Amino acid sequence: MEPGYKSNWDIYNLASFWIKTIDDSLVEAGVLVDDNTDVIKEARYKMVEVDHIDDLELEIIITY
């Protein structure tokens, strides 16, 4: 990360997009029967800084 870098986005706007997209995709693929609160009880996310864009990753853990 560049010295003095200050992000101009907030974590909720970025994370909520990915969570909704992934939930809908899992339903579409038949992995989940639905994405309502009877099926998905929790979603968590956090931002971890990386030194280079090539180090970015998205980790999805599904427990049931």
Side-chain angles (χ1 to χ4, degrees):
M1 183 146 320
E2 295 291 323
Y5 171 79
K6 185 171 174 84
S7 65
N8 61 356
W9 52 271
D10 61 80
I11 191 169
Y12 183 77
N13 288 345
L14 185 61
S16 61
F17 168 80
W18 286 110
I19 289 172
K20 181 62 178 155
T21 301
I22 291 164
D23 291 351
D24 289 347
S25 297
L26 291 171
V27 172
E28 182 71 24
V31 175
L32 299 174
V33 295
D34 203 338
D35 61 350
N36 63 30
T37 56
D38 288 337
V39 177
I40 299 176
K41 305 285 187 194
E42 178 181 17
R44 294 183 291 166
Y45 48 87
K46 69 178 179 177
M47 197 282 283
V48 178
E49 291 183 11
V50 295
D51 290 329
H52 190 272
I53 195 167
D54 291 342
D55 297 330
L56 290 173
E57 63 181 50
L58 179 63
E59 181 177 294
I60 302 168
I61 300 171
I62 300 172
T63 57
Y64 56 97

